[in-house]
Amino acid sequence: MNTQLLKTMNEQLLSLDRTYGADALAADFIQALRATLEQYTGETSQSALQSGLVEMYHLLLSSRPRMANLIDDLRKVLLHTKRDANFSLASIQAELQRLFERKRERRQESVAHAKSLLDQSHTILLHSYSSTLNILLKEIATSHPTDPPKIILAGQEPHKTERMIALLQKHDLPYRVVSEFAISHVLEEVDLALFGGLSLTNEMQLIMGPGSASLISQLEAAEIPRYVLLTTNKFSYWEENTAPSFTELREKKTPTATYMKQVFSHDVLPIAQLTGIISEKGVHTPTESQELFTTLRATFLQEEQEIAPLSSGAPQ
Amino acid sequence: MMSQIFVVAVFVSIFIGILLDKVDKTLLAAAGAMILVLSGALPFEAAIHAIDFDTIGLLLGMMVFVEGLTAVGVFRWFSLQLGLITKGNPLIIFLLVSLSTAFLSAFLDNVTTVLILAPLMISLTQGIGLPPKIFLLSVIFMSNIGGAATMIGDPPNILIGSQVDSLGFVDFLQFMTAPVLVSMVLITLYLKFMKSDVIRSRNDNLGWLFTSNLMLSDIRHQAQSFVLPRATQIKAGFVFALVILGFLLHPVTHIEPPVVALTGGVLLLLLFHKEIDLHHLFGKVEWHTLLFFAGLFIVVGALEEVGVLEALSHVLVSLTSNTLTLILIVLWSSAILSALVDNIPFVAVMIPVLKDLLEQEPFASDPKSYLLWWALALGACFGGNGSIIGASANVVSVGIAQARGISISFLEFAKEALPITFITIVISSIYLILLYTI
C-alpha cells in the first residue's frame, strides 16, 4: 500500500469532514470520483480500472476514522464492476450518478422522519452542521411560517458556528448562540436536541463531532430527548482494532505564553446515551438501531464476499 | 579624510548589522542617519534633501494600493480561482502558479506576491501529497525574476527608476522584458527537467488523481463561499488598469510615477471607502520599510557629501576604460553582492556612483553607457535569488514555509538557487553584450 497516498487521502478526507461536514464530504467524494474518471489518462482496460478502484477501496478501509458511507459508495462501484461483465468508464460514471441521487433521496427521507419529531418541539438545541440539517431547517421554516421553533445553537469552533448561523439566517429561524460549555444554563428551555454523526460502529458506538459527548451527557442527565441524524450508509461494520478517534498536540501561542493543546478528531459514545437515531428508514431507539445494524450487516458481509476476489486479483 | 572614514564606518556598520540580523534593519538605518546628522557629518537640511521622495512616494502609493486590493479580497479571490484552474495537476500547478508569480511580481512588490502565492503553492502541493519545497522555491525564484521586468516590480528598480531621470516605466519594459522572459522560460524548463520525477502530471494514477480532486473540492467550497462581487472586480480592475496606464503614459503626460501610484491608492480607497477599515489598512502599510529607505538615503547622502562615492566612481573608472567590461563587472558584482547582502543599500550606493562615473570619460561619450543601469538592475534583481537572505521575498517565503512545518535551510536553498542565479546572470550577460555590440 502506498503510505504517502494513504496519508494524503486520509488528511484530505478528515479536513473536508471537519470543515464542511459529513454530508458535504459524501457529495464531494462522489464528485471527486467522477472527475477522476473523466480526467484519467491511464490504462482503461477492465482489469486496470478494477485494480485502481480496489487500491482506492483498501486505502479508504485503512483511513481513520473509517468513513463508512464513503466506503459503502466505493463498494457499490466495485460491485457494479463485478456484476456487469461489460462495465466501462461510462457505466461506472452512471453508477456514481445513481449513488449521488440515492444520497439525495436518503437525505429527504431522513428529513421527513426528523420533521415529524421536531414539529412537536418549541425549542431545539442544534450542534452539528450538515446539508441534511439545511434541508430540515428549510422544511421547518416552511411548515411553521408564523410560529417556528426557537433554536439554541451550541457554539463551537468559530467556522462551524458561523456556518450554522448562516443556515439559520438563510431560513429566517429565530436562534441564539450559547457556547457548548455553557449549555447547562439553558437546558430547562430545551425540548429536543439534534446532532450529526459520522458513523455507528460494530460496538454500537457513535462517532460524532468533538464536543458532542459532553453535551449529550448533560442532556441525558436532564432527560431531554436527544437524537442523531445518521443515514444507514454510515453504519460501519468492521471490527475496529484502532481507536476511531485520533488525537494530536498543536502548538498555540498567546502574547504571554506558548503551550501545547491536545485536540481530538471526534467524540465516541455508546448509542445507549441517545434517545434514538433518525435515518432514512425511520426513527429508531438504541435497541431498534442495533437490530437494524445486524440486518444490514448481513447484506454488507454478502457484498464483501462478492468483491473479495477482486482484491486477490482472481480472474473475474 | 576623518569624516570620510567616519561616514564609511557608519555605512559599513549598518551593512554588517543587516547581515547579522540581530537588530531590525530599519532601526540600523535610522540610527545611522541620526548619528550622521548629530555628528554634523551631514547637515539636517542636506539630510532631508538626500531623501528621495520620489522613491518614498512611489513605495507608499503602491503599498496603499496593494493593501486596498487585499482588503477588498481581490488577491484571495485570485488565488482561489488559480487553484481551481490547476485542477490539482502537479505540472499545471507548477507552471501556472510560478508564472503567475512572475507576472504579478512585475506589477506588485515581491513580498506581496509571495504572501499571496506561496501559501497557495504550499496548500496545493501538500494537499495532493507532493513535496512542497521545489514548488515553493519556484515561486521564490519567479518572484525575483518577474519583479525585474518593470520599474515597480522590485525595490532596486524603484530606486533606479526614481533617481535616474532618463529612465521611466516604459524604458524598464523596453529593456528588461526580454531578459526576464527568456529567464522565466529557461528556468521553468530547467526546474521541470531537474525535478521531472515530481513536476509531472499524475493523471495516469487513479489514487493520486482522486486525491487531487478531493483537494479541489475544498478549494471549490472556499470559492463558492468567497464571492467577489462583480462591482468590486470592475472597480479594482479599473483602478489597476489606470495605474498601469499612468506609468506607461508618463513620457506623454509627464505625471511622475509616485503621483500615479499615490493617486491610484487614494482612488481605490475612495471607491471602496465603505468596505475598507481605513485605520486598519494604514496600520498595515510598511512604514518601517519607508523609514528604512529614508534612513538609507540619508546615509548615502552623507557618503556623497564627504566624497566617498566620487572616490568610488574613480576607482571603478580606474579598473577599466572599456564600457562593456564595466557593464559586466557591475552586473556580476551586483548579483554576487545582492545574493550575499540586502540589495537595497548596495543599489542605493551604486546609483550616485554610476551617475558620477557616467560624467567621466570615456563613459560620458559612449552612447551605450546607459546599459550600466540595466546591468545594475538585472544584477540586483536576479542576484536576489542567490541565497535565502538575497531578497525580502525569500525571507518571507521561507518564514511562511516554516510556519507550515516546512523547513528550508540556507544550504538547501543555495543548492537550488545558485545554478538558477548563474543561469539568469549568464542570460543577462549575453543580452547586455548583444545590446552593446549591435
Side-chain angles (χ1 to χ4, degrees):
Chain A
M1 179 173 293
N2 188 325
T3 50
Q4 178 62 27
L5 178 54
L6 170 62
K7 181 172 177 280
T8 308
M9 197 184 287
N10 207 153
E11 280 169 2
Q12 279 295 347
L13 291 170
L14 272 174
S15 171
L16 285 167
D17 175 53
R18 237 182 262 145
T19 314
Y20 306 108
D23 284 346
L25 169 59
D28 289 338
F29 180 81
I30 300 264
Q31 302 293 43
L33 261 180
R34 295 180 71 179
T36 299
L37 293 172
E38 266 169 48
Q39 295 156 17
Y40 179 60
T41 59
E43 204 194 320
T44 55
S45 65
Q46 286 191 333
S47 58
L49 285 175
Q50 255 179 355
S51 174
L53 289 169
V54 164
E55 187 196 2
M56 283 174 58
Y57 186 68
H58 286 305
L59 284 167
L60 269 184
L61 282 175
S62 304
S63 298
R64 291 293 179 272
R66 275 209 182 99
M67 296 186 183
N69 56 335
L70 308 184
I71 298 170
D72 183 61
D73 285 337
L74 200 45
R75 188 173 59 254
K76 294 284 190 291
V77 173
L78 283 172
L79 279 168
H80 164 75
T81 67
K82 186 79 173 56
R83 291 170 182 171
D84 183 353
N86 298 317
F87 81 87
S88 63
L89 267 177
S91 71
I92 295 174
Q93 288 280 26
E95 177 64 12
L96 286 169
Q97 178 61 23
R98 190 191 69 77
L99 289 169
F100 188 74
E101 278 157 17
R102 179 71 194 115
K103 272 188 204 315
R104 213 177 292 160
E105 286 163 11
R106 268 199 212 101
R107 271 206 299 274
Q108 289 295 143
E109 288 158 13
S110 301
V111 163
H113 296 303
K115 192 171 165 299
S116 63
L117 268 179
L118 267 56
D119 274 343
Q120 296 137 40
S121 307
H122 296 293
T123 304
I124 304 166
L125 174 68
L126 294 180
H127 181 256
S128 323
Y129 172 89
S130 71
S131 43
T132 308
L133 189 65
N134 180 28
I135 303 169
L136 177 60
L137 291 175
K138 184 182 171 189
E139 294 280 323
I140 291 171
T142 310
S143 57
H144 299 278
T146 53
D147 185 27
K150 295 181 187 49
I151 309 291
I152 296 177
L153 178 58
Q156 36 183 324
E157 289 165 304
H159 73 276
K160 289 182 181 173
T161 305
E162 281 162 16
R163 267 194 301 147
M164 291 290 289
I165 289 171
L167 269 190
L168 293 163
Q169 286 179 344
K170 180 180 161 187
H171 300 300
D172 209 19
L173 287 165
Y175 74 95
R176 69 183 198 274
V177 179
V178 177
S179 294
E180 57 185 359
F181 53 76
I183 286 296
S184 59
H185 296 280
V186 298
L187 278 179
E188 59 200 26
E189 297 175 46
V190 176
D191 296 316
L192 180 145
L194 195 59
F195 293 82
L198 180 68
S199 184
L200 176 64
T201 71
N202 232 1
E203 290 77 33
M204 289 296 111
Q205 293 200 307
L206 279 162
I207 303 176
M208 304 172 70
S212 307
S214 63
L215 272 179
I216 288 168
S217 297
Q218 291 180 69
L219 290 161
E220 190 184 12
E223 295 179 351
I224 294 167
R226 54 226 171 266
Y227 293 88
V228 65
L229 276 168
L230 193 78
T231 50
T232 58
N233 65 333
K234 292 181 183 175
F235 287 7
S236 175
Y237 305 107
W238 299 269
E239 302 290 337
E240 291 291 351
N241 297 320
T242 55
S245 169
F246 70 89
T247 179
E248 61 180 17
L249 285 171
R250 289 187 192 157
E251 188 179 272
K252 296 283 179 189
K253 281 185 179 159
T254 69
T256 52
T258 301
Y259 61 94
M260 301 306 287
K261 181 177 175 182
Q262 189 173 15
V263 296
F264 297 85
S265 65
H266 296 88
D267 279 359
V268 184
L269 62 156
I271 192 175
Q273 276 193 263
L274 279 110
T275 311
I277 286 179
I278 306 170
S279 77
E280 76 279 14
K281 296 186 187 299
V283 182
H284 324 279
T285 63
T287 309
E288 288 165 351
S289 301
Q290 185 153 14
E291 288 163 6
L292 179 62
F293 189 97
T294 307
T295 307
L296 293 174
R297 188 165 187 269
T299 310
F300 159 77
L301 289 172
Q302 279 171 8
E303 289 175 351
E304 281 286 294
Q305 267 197 310
E306 198 177 339
I307 63 171
L310 297 178
S311 300
S312 66
Q316 303 314 309
Chain B
M1 184 64 174
M2 284 305 295
S3 61
Q4 285 182 332
I5 293 171
F6 175 68
V7 172
V8 168
V10 169
F11 180 75
V12 168
S13 302
I14 294 172
F15 226 61
I16 292 172
I18 292 173
L19 197 63
L20 292 175
D21 198 26
K22 298 282 184 204
V23 178
D24 186 273
K25 67 181 185 185
T26 301
L27 272 180
L28 289 169
M34 287 299 100
I35 288 170
L36 290 170
V37 170
L38 282 170
S39 65
L42 185 72
F44 179 67
E45 290 76 17
I48 298 299
H49 189 71
I51 298 173
D52 181 46
F53 286 98
D54 276 359
T55 305
I56 302 288
L58 182 56
L59 282 169
L60 176 62
M62 291 309 293
M63 282 175 189
V64 170
F65 179 64
V66 166
E67 283 303 330
L69 290 178
T70 307
V72 298
V74 165
F75 297 131
R76 173 151 162 73
W77 173 85
F78 174 76
S79 68
L80 286 173
Q81 297 306 313
L82 203 62
L84 285 175
I85 294 170
T86 66
K87 291 196 192 311
N89 184 316
L91 181 58
I92 299 177
I93 288 172
F94 167 71
L95 288 173
L96 200 59
V97 180
S98 302
L99 296 176
S100 296
T101 305
F103 178 75
L104 270 186
S105 268
F107 298 100
L108 307 175
D109 67 281
N110 292 359
V111 171
T112 299
T113 307
V114 298
L115 280 171
I116 298 164
L117 291 171
L120 174 68
M121 187 61 112
I122 294 172
S123 293
L124 288 176
T125 50
Q126 281 187 326
I128 57 175
L130 286 173
K133 279 186 196 178
I134 192 56
F135 292 86
L136 178 63
L137 287 172
S138 74
V139 166
I140 295 172
F141 300 147
M142 286 298 170
S143 75
N144 289 313
I145 292 172
T150 71
M151 192 180 126
I152 54 172
D154 214 352
N157 289 5
I158 293 176
L159 279 169
I160 296 168
S162 299
Q163 294 188 64
V164 180
D165 292 334
S166 56
L167 300 181
F169 189 86
V170 175
D171 301 293
F172 273 85
L173 275 182
Q174 184 186 344
F175 284 97
M176 299 292 270
T177 302
V180 165
L181 280 177
V182 171
S183 297
M184 275 167 58
V185 169
L186 287 183
I187 297 306
T188 301
L189 289 171
Y190 169 81
L191 286 170
K192 170 75 181 83
F193 175 74
M194 294 300 287
K195 306 289 174 182
S196 55
D197 55 326
V198 168
I199 304 177
R200 62 173 198 86
S201 167
R202 294 191 302 192
N203 286 12
D204 55 351
N205 183 294
L206 272 177
W208 282 117
L209 182 53
F210 173 69
T211 309
S212 296
N213 279 303
L214 271 185
M215 181 209 56
L216 277 178
S217 302
D218 186 15
I219 299 178
R220 213 168 281 122
H221 281 297
Q222 290 182 59
Q224 277 165 3
S225 61
F226 184 85
V227 177
L228 196 71
R230 182 60 100 182
T232 303
Q233 292 180 40
I234 292 171
K235 285 193 282 190
F238 168 70
V239 179
F240 186 84
L242 211 62
V243 167
I244 300 303
L245 209 60
F247 288 135
L248 287 169
L249 292 177
H250 166 247
V252 173
T253 64
H254 304 293
I255 298 175
E256 296 299 324
V259 175
V260 171
L262 285 163
T263 304
V266 169
L267 182 58
L268 194 78
L269 295 184
L270 276 171
L271 288 174
F272 291 108
H273 71 276
K274 286 184 187 164
E275 292 94 325
I276 294 177
D277 179 342
L278 265 189
H279 291 287
H280 182 70
L281 183 142
F282 280 120
K284 296 185 85 179
V285 168
E286 291 178 41
W287 302 105
H288 59 285
T289 301
L290 298 178
L291 186 59
F292 169 70
F293 274 92
L296 194 61
F297 286 135
I298 291 172
V299 174
V300 171
L303 286 169
E304 215 171 350
E305 178 87 355
V306 298
V308 168
L309 299 187
E310 192 184 339
L312 194 55
S313 77
H314 288 305
V315 165
L316 280 176
V317 170
S318 70
L319 279 178
T320 179
S321 58
N322 182 293
T323 309
L324 182 57
T325 307
L326 187 61
I327 287 168
L328 295 174
I329 289 173
V330 168
L331 173 69
W332 283 88
S333 57
S334 304
I336 292 166
L337 283 167
S338 286
L340 296 175
V341 292
D342 196 321
N343 51 14
I344 296 168
F346 172 75
V347 169
V349 162
M350 284 303 290
I351 290 172
V353 169
L354 287 184
K355 274 184 178 174
D356 199 71
L357 185 144
L358 284 167
E359 288 171 1
Q360 299 175 52
E361 293 298 340
F363 309 107
S365 51
D366 187 335
K368 296 282 181 89
S369 58
Y370 69 90
L371 291 172
L372 283 164
W373 296 117
W374 306 123
L376 180 63
L378 286 166
C381 293
F382 287 173
N385 268 332
S387 75
I388 275 184
I389 57 169
S392 303
N394 305 2
V395 175
V396 167
S397 302
V398 169
I400 291 171
Q402 188 82 31
R404 306 264 197 125
I406 303 161
S407 170
I408 302 177
S409 70
F410 188 93
L411 283 176
E412 253 182 303
F413 189 99
K415 188 179 150 216
E416 304 295 343
L418 286 175
I420 281 166
T421 310
F422 180 76
I423 291 170
T424 54
I425 300 301
V426 166
I427 291 168
S428 304
S429 302
I430 295 169
Y431 173 68
L432 290 168
I433 291 169
L434 283 171
L435 279 184
Y436 187 83
T437 51
I438 290 173

